[in-house]
Amino acid sequence: MQEPAITPDLVASHGIKPDEWKRLLGILGRQPSFTELGIFSAMWNEHCSYKSSKIHLKKLPTTGPQVICGPGENAGVVDIGDGQAVIFKMESHNHPSYIEPHQGAATGVGGILRDVFTMGARPIAAMNALSFGLPSHPKTAHLVKGVVEGVGSYGNAFGVPTVGGEVRFHRSYNGNCLVNAFAAGLADTDKIFYSAASGVGMPVVYLGAKTGRDGVGGATMASAEFDDTIEEKRPTVQVGDPFTEKRLLEACLELMASGAVISIQDMGAAGLTCSAVEMGDKGGLGIKLQLDDVPQRETLMTAYEMMLSESQERMLMVLKPEMEAEARAIFVKWDLDFAIVGETIPEDRFLILHGNEVKADIPLSKLSSSAPEYDRPWVPSPAPAPLPHLPAITPIAALKALIGSPSHAHKGWVYEQYDSQVGADTVLPPGAGAGVVRVHGTGKLLAFTSNVTPRYVKANPFEGGKQAVAEAYRNLVAVGARPLATTDNLNFGNPEKPEIMGQFVGALEGIGAAVKALDMPIVSGNVSLYNETDGSGILPTPTIGAVGIMQAGDLIAGQPQDGDIAVVIGETRGHLGQSALLAEAFGIEAGEPPPVDLTLEANAAKALLANRKRVRAARDLGDGGLALAAFRMAEGAGIGLVLKTGEIGQLFGEDQARYLVAIRAEDLAAFMAAAGGVKVAQVGKFGGEKVTFGMESAPMAELSGLYRSAFAAAVGV
């Protein structure tokens, strides 16, 4: 097949800028072939190279005594004692999910699961963080339905419990939804597998499903803004098969146990190209591939298509040659392809052969570790609009505005489509602030959560970045866990705009300060930029996924009971700037977000954990403040609630470093006395059949009906 001529338009369509084109020509000393152009495009785009973010990501705290492997591998590895490790990561599938929501979300789940089990871990938990446009937008209902179905169908069929996540709605996501997928798995610390190739002349083996044309150019598409050509991008979305992935998991774990694996890498973004280049680059070796040997499910595929295909459920491995027969037999047993498609070579070359022709011959190191790296200009975010004088609103009307909004209503419609109990080790399912899973056969529990408040990050990126970490920290503490480590999914607009880059830099500084102060190093992550449509960017959304650990006896998982006392740990000042109440009741996004004092965060957590035996139930205070947290605790227990104050700031303010706990009346005095210098206040009582704020009441049954029906009603699903 005749390859197209290399023209300026063709180069530009591959996302390669003029300065990068000059760099490419300098590396090759000649014009690239069409396949080489595609390879450079894939490896140098934002999605694979992190060229706009790398310089700032290096500043994040990524080490600690608990960290076995930080960023740079398929997933982060954290020690949980007894020779065991938890392996986890969060990653975006935003652009594909907007174009084709079911498959975009499904393959996002599939990709993050492969990142975990390619390290040798069996997946034990999944989460997702979803951001959609306004419910009234013509695409929102279609996107919500498709994404939730895609997440559920893949995770449920594969057999991993979905234990947590978040769903939000905001006009900034109208043209660019966010689908962030998290997975965690368990492995023995002496049986972890890495991606660096080693040894010259070692066979490079293709594993899993056959290669098709789905997803060709997907990584490049994920590194560009959307415009009115969006429908043309539909073929760049991959198609997933969870049952094949389940077989791939079992085959890979069996193969790893056999001792045949030197290194292994998931084929994710940019498929065969990225996986081969990363393995070679990390091992300081070259790679030679013979594409005639690649298993294909379509006819007459070109070298360009095979190198850039993002067909799912595929791995690349460097194999101990003496164990080829044993390794092949494992994959034949699991009805999966096993093909030797190349070898490691001593030269710094990425050599691609197809049909007795050299289709690409590139210095391999120039594709990965020597990719372009930019220190893009940035400007600090301007101060937000000052907080206006708020219209009058009664406490119950304010609560109804929140629980009747899809962002804060009950999310049962979403998570009831996910299997949270598969594996039979889920202790706390979605809806409890953090999901909790047993470490099977031990007395340990792992807790998982994801958090960010994009309004805060837009208003003040530094405080918003700190708050995303602090809230994840509080979610873990509220179930009794000791926070261990974090992963990030940094979703922003176009980094070539200084104001967007300023949001990114500020948020990263805040995240870095918080993970350092709270001893939750970042061990893995993902950057998703160019989340814009027709020049309009999303709210900056740096999602933080966090993992904590506890012994089974330390779990705080009860519900308040009739007569329990409601106590707030931490100080309430009534901060309403950038609050959920302003956004939902009045459509106002103004004022500074609440400041985050990391010392207070640590002290409040200590006060709760030291007194956990006296705590029946706990919840952190975030969006919606005391009122929303207390309502959710009471509603979940099927009882009413009385809060003494009717003052809007005290009820709905979003001051940080706070928890609401339910205490038995007989334990109250001892709990208050043991707070260790942290401010604690008795704010009300659980029980009855009404919700009472100050002097105003409403039947819990009425409010519960609104809370549990509002999501489906608003989104029209």
Side-chain angles (χ1 to χ4, degrees), residues 55-74:
I55 192 169
H56 301 290
L57 294 173
K58 291 173 182 174
K59 303 171 190 173
L60 287 171
T62 59
T63 59
Q66 71 272 48
V67 179
I68 294 173
C69 177
E73 274 294 337
N74 287 289

Side-chain angles (χ1 to χ4, degrees), residues 86 123 199 201 234-235 244 275 308 352 357 438 445 469 498 523 541 544 564 588-589 597 603 618 625:
V86 60
R234 191 172 298 276
T244 298
S275 55
L308 298 186
I352 309 301
E357 290 183 39
R438 294 181 195 89
L445 305 176
V469 175
V523 297
T541 312
I544 297 295
D564 281 355
I588 294 171
E589 295 176 18
D597 184 320
N603 289 342

Side-chain angles (χ1 to χ4, degrees), residues 5-16 21 37:
I6 306 299
T7 65
D9 284 349
L10 185 67
V11 172
S13 73
H14 279 71
I16 293 176
W21 176 241
L37 177 66

Side-chain angles (χ1 to χ4, degrees), residues 73 85 112 124 163 183 219 254 269 282 301 367 384 392 414 433 439 444 450 489 498 516 524 602 663:
E73 274 294 337
I112 199 66
I124 61 161
V163 300
E254 189 174 335
K282 288 174 184 174
M301 287 191 73
L367 288 168
V414 175
V439 179
K444 294 178 290 196
S450 75
N489 202 148
K516 182 177 181 181
S524 59
I663 308 288

